[in-house]
Amino acid sequence: MAAELYGHRGTRAVQRMVEYAPSTGGLALWVHHRDGGDEAALIVNDGKTLVYGPAFAALPLPEQAGWVAHEVLHIALRHAQRFRELQGLLGDVDLQLFNTCADAIVNSTLGHLAWLALPKDAVQLDQLLLSALRRRQTVEAALLEWDVERLYRAIDDRKPKSGMAAQGAKKEGEKAQTERQDGERAATAREDGERAACVRTMGKAHATDLQPGPDSAPEEQAEAAREWAERLLRAHAGDGAFSMLRTLMADVPRSRTPWEHALRTLLARALSPQPGVSWSRPARSWLANQGRVGATRRMPWEPGRTATKAVPRLVVMVDVSGSIDDALMQRFAREIEALTRRLETTLVLVIGDDRVREVARFEPGGSSLRDIKFQGGGGTDFTPLLEEADRHAPDIGVFLTDLDGPARFKPKWPVVWAVVESGTHFDAPFGRQLALR
């Protein structure tokens, strides 16, 4: 009956949102809406469309407005698409845990509004941080600091299952993988750690409302992220104190350049052969004119050009005092190996913590970064590693680290600090800082 009167089951909720918050509530007008059949959940979204189940129509209007505002912000913040992106980076991302992290951000954003009602057991960001991470923050401060990717990485402490349980889970995963019609890979069987178990318990009261659809082209995703970010900023400015957004959140979608692309560009520019001056041979233009202007006048000598370096040199320094995720190390190693192979670059690998532990030299594409073992918990001093790297006269150096240590030597060659998640709050002492996320 509701669909016949209003077009879809969420129409009255959308009208209420536009009435109380015309600009931010109007974000719902950029979203597709449709009614689901009898088997449909209360309300879900795939990143573009809201689907309403029959039970939605029976809710009081303030609760309907709360649910629709919640789902609209999921779409505006591109949580479904960002789950896919994070899955592409990490491989195994737990949808329920990711959904709960996204819910916490959205619920806390809407929590100040009196004209809508959130479920009584809705997860709040400040509660999640206190329970799972033992961090006490106000909602406003938390919204300005945490985005969904960083929050998920902080709470996902799952460990691989061991023994027979892991083998059984693997077989079940393989079976599920063959049965999935959309071709998705089944998640690797992993046991919840303390933080993941806490967040899973907090979110189990509500069904997963994020149902990510198929990936779109990267260009389309970047354009959509830019458009939604602009809509959110304009809408927030238009509503002022009545905005559905409590503050300009850290979670506002932005078009991010993957660190792999940035590292590839930096190293390609530094390692590409640069032409130099050769006084032993003339320039081609001088030869073409036979060194003369007209019949009688001679041209001044014009030196030719030659490559200044036949084999570019790259030094990769690795700080093994901290803990680096294996998946991140694999991605970093693949990028370095591909670059050295493509640019025919010799690689010198310097490994250490407060002193140099190992130095190795590799031919293009033959490095063994993936085999590095990180000790964790030791002291860190970048100085001896930088001094050792300087002895090899590199064209550029990359330092993989958490940035927690001193650097009392500044080389003349450029340094790229490839910083893992735990070190992003530090500033590099010099050179270019690149966050690996």
Side-chain angles (χ1 to χ4, degrees):
M1 184 65 180
E4 295 175 1
L5 290 175
Y6 303 110
H8 60 77
R9 296 181 180 120
T11 299
R12 290 195 303 154
V14 173
Q15 291 172 343
R16 184 178 180 89
M17 291 166 59
V18 175
E19 176 184 356
Y20 283 90
S23 295
T24 48
L27 293 171
L29 304 178
W30 293 95
V31 174
H32 299 289
H33 304 258
R34 68 177 178 86
D35 293 334
D38 293 339
E39 74 288 349
L42 181 68
I43 183 172
V44 296
N45 78 85
D46 63 358
K48 296 180 179 180
T49 303
L50 291 187
V51 181
Y52 303 92
F56 182 85
L59 295 176
L61 184 56
E63 290 187 28
Q64 289 186 358
W67 275 109
V68 175
H70 177 100
E71 300 299 328
V72 165
L73 286 187
H74 272 320
I75 293 178
L77 296 171
R78 294 182 54 76
H79 284 154
Q81 290 85 353
R82 289 161 68 181
F83 168 80
R84 289 291 194 196
E85 293 172 3
L86 191 62
Q87 193 177 44
L89 292 175
L90 303 182
D92 177 19
V93 178
D94 189 291
L95 180 56
Q96 183 185 359
L97 293 179
F98 184 92
N99 202 148
T100 303
C101 291
D103 284 346
I105 291 174
V106 169
N107 291 335
S108 297
T109 303
L110 298 170
H112 66 297
L113 300 174
W115 51 268
L116 55 76
L118 296 173
K120 294 180 180 180
D121 48 3
V123 181
Q124 299 291 332
L125 181 57
D126 56 338
Q127 298 171 359
L128 186 149
L129 292 173
L130 181 61
S131 299
L133 302 181
R134 305 294 189 267
R135 291 191 57 169
R136 191 179 299 275
Q137 283 185 290
T138 64
V139 172
E140 286 75 13
L143 287 172
L144 288 172
E145 178 178 349
W146 294 90
D147 58 45
V148 67
E149 291 88 356
R150 183 184 177 195
L151 185 59
Y152 176 84
R153 290 173 185 266
I155 63 95
D156 186 10
D157 60 350
R158 295 173 299 145
K159 303 293 190 297
K161 289 185 178 181
S162 59
M164 296 301 295
Q167 295 178 8
K170 182 179 180 181
K171 291 180 180 179
E172 290 296 326
E174 291 174 351
K175 180 180 178 182
Q177 181 180 8
T178 59
E179 292 176 351
R180 293 177 70 92
Q181 296 181 354
D182 58 1
E184 290 184 4
R185 292 180 301 173
T188 304
R190 298 168 67 183
E191 292 180 342
D192 285 345
E194 181 181 354
R195 297 191 296 271
C198 176
V199 173
R200 197 181 300 280
T201 300
M202 296 180 70
K204 69 179 181 180
H206 298 286
T208 301
D209 57 344
L210 290 179
Q211 297 184 354
D215 290 335
S216 56
E219 296 80 7
E220 295 179 8
Q221 295 184 30
E223 180 65 17
R226 183 190 64 79
E227 289 178 349
W228 275 113
E230 292 179 355
R231 290 168 188 164
L232 284 165
L233 295 176
R234 287 197 303 265
H236 182 66
D239 279 345
F242 302 98
S243 172
M244 290 198 322
L245 304 176
R246 179 174 294 190
T247 184
L248 291 178
M249 302 173 294
D251 201 45
V252 170
R254 55 184 62 89
S255 181
R256 297 180 174 90
T257 300
W259 65 261
E260 293 94 337
H261 294 178
L263 180 64
R264 205 174 301 156
T265 301
L266 289 170
L267 295 187
R269 289 176 178 173
L271 297 172
S272 297
Q274 302 296 323
V277 177
S278 174
W279 292 96
S280 63
R281 63 178 66 180
R284 293 182 179 180
S285 59
W286 193 91
L287 288 173
N289 292 294
Q290 298 182 348
R292 296 181 178 276
V293 178
T296 58
R297 298 180 60 186
R298 295 184 63 86
M299 295 175 60
W301 174 263
E302 183 179 355
R305 296 282 180 175
T306 184
T308 58
K309 49 189 179 185
V311 180
R313 293 178 293 275
L314 167 67
V315 169
V316 173
M317 296 153 282
V318 180
D319 168 20
V320 293
S321 65
S323 178
I324 295 180
D325 180 74
D326 289 340
L328 178 62
M329 190 62 199
Q330 294 295 319
R331 290 166 53 204
F332 181 80
R334 284 196 297 268
E335 280 299 316
I336 294 295
E337 289 174 4
L339 280 164
T340 57
R341 187 181 299 109
R342 186 181 310 116
L343 299 173
E344 298 183 354
T345 302
T346 299
L347 171 66
V348 176
L349 180 63
V350 180
I351 301 174
D353 38 37
D354 56 351
R355 62 178 63 90
V356 176
R357 303 289 183 180
E358 183 182 350
V359 179
R361 182 185 178 90
F362 300 96
E363 294 304 315
S367 63
S368 62
L369 275 69
R370 306 185 193 191
D371 300 329
I372 296 176
K373 302 299 181 183
F374 293 87
Q375 300 170 356
T380 303
D381 189 347
F382 304 138
T383 307
L385 277 72
L386 289 166
E387 291 175 340
E388 174 62 31
D390 189 60
R391 284 193 278 271
H392 299 274
D395 297 296
I396 190 171
V398 179
F399 211 133
L400 178 62
T401 178
D402 59 4
L403 270 185
D404 189 9
R408 295 181 295 274
F409 173 74
K410 182 179 180 180
K412 296 181 180 180
W413 35 270
V415 178
V416 177
W417 301 85
V419 184
V420 297
E421 183 78 19
S422 59
T424 52
H425 58 286
F426 294 111
D427 291 327
F430 48 80
R432 174 74 177 269
Q433 183 170 335
L434 185 65
L436 307 185
R437 294 179 176 174

